[in-house]
Amino acid sequence: MAECIFCKIIKGDIPSRKVYEDDAVLAFDDISPMAPAHVVIIPKKHIATLMDVDAKADITGKLIAAAQQVAEIKQVAESGFRLAINCNADGGQVVFHLHMHLLGGRKLEDQLG
Ligand code: AMP
Ligand code: ZN
C-alpha cells in the first residue's frame, strides 16, 4: 500500500528506530511513546486490521515471537509489559496497518480504557 505510513517505514522511505526485524516482522520505537519502552510491532505484509488476520496463519505466531524478542531487548520481560492491538474506530486504531503496541518500563494503569 503506497500511502500506508507503516509500509513506508518497512520500505525505508520514512525513518524509524528499529528495535527488531526478521523475515516477516519489523519492530520500531513509537514516535510518541506512552511509556519508557513503547515499541510498535508490525507484519511486513500489509494487513489493515486485526479482523483481516488469518489466526491460523504463520504471521500470528511470528508476531508473538517478535514481541518476546522485543521484551528481552527492552529488558522488560521480567518487570512486565503490556501488548495491545487497537482495532477500528472504537478501538482507537489510527494507522490501518496491523500493529501491536508493546508498553513497559513503568507500572501501567490497571484500567485498559
Ligand atoms: P494506533 O492508534 O493503534 O493506530 O497507533 C498508531 C501508533 O503509531 C501511535 O502510537 C503513533 O504514535 C505511532 N506512529 C505513527 N507514526 C509513526 C512513525 N512514523 N514512527 C513511529 N511510530 C509512529
Ligand atoms: Zn501498510
Side-chain angles (χ1 to χ4, degrees):
M1 277 233 173
E3 72 279 15
C4 170
I5 189 168
F6 286 174
C7 283
K8 286 181 179 169
I9 286 175
I10 292 163
K11 283 199 291 179
D13 292 348
I14 294 176
S16 69
R17 276 172 34 190
K18 183 166 72 179
V19 174
Y20 170 85
E21 181 174 19
D22 62 32
D23 61 319
V25 178
L26 178 68
F28 49 90
D29 285 327
D30 197 292
I31 203 167
S32 182
M34 297 175 67
H38 185 173
V39 180
V40 179
I41 304 168
I42 66 174
K44 288 185 173 175
K45 179 185 166 206
H46 181 89
I47 300 170
T49 82
L50 181 62
M51 295 309 296
D52 300 303
V53 176
D54 177 353
K56 296 196 183 83
D58 285 351
I59 191 62
T60 308
K62 286 183 172 182
L63 286 166
I64 296 296
Q68 293 173 332
Q69 294 296 316
V70 169
E72 297 285 3
I73 291 164
K74 289 291 182 179
Q75 300 185 307
V76 297
E78 295 295 324
S79 54
F81 60 92
R82 182 170 295 160
L83 269 186
I85 299 176
N86 298 331
C87 185
N88 285 329
D90 281 1
Q93 185 172 6
V94 173
V95 177
F96 283 80
H97 180 130
L98 175 70
H99 53 281
M100 303 192 300
H101 298 257
L102 187 148
L103 296 148
R106 67 169 169 83
K107 183 86 172 80
L108 298 164
E109 298 81 11
D110 292 339
Q111 300 295 324
L112 283 174

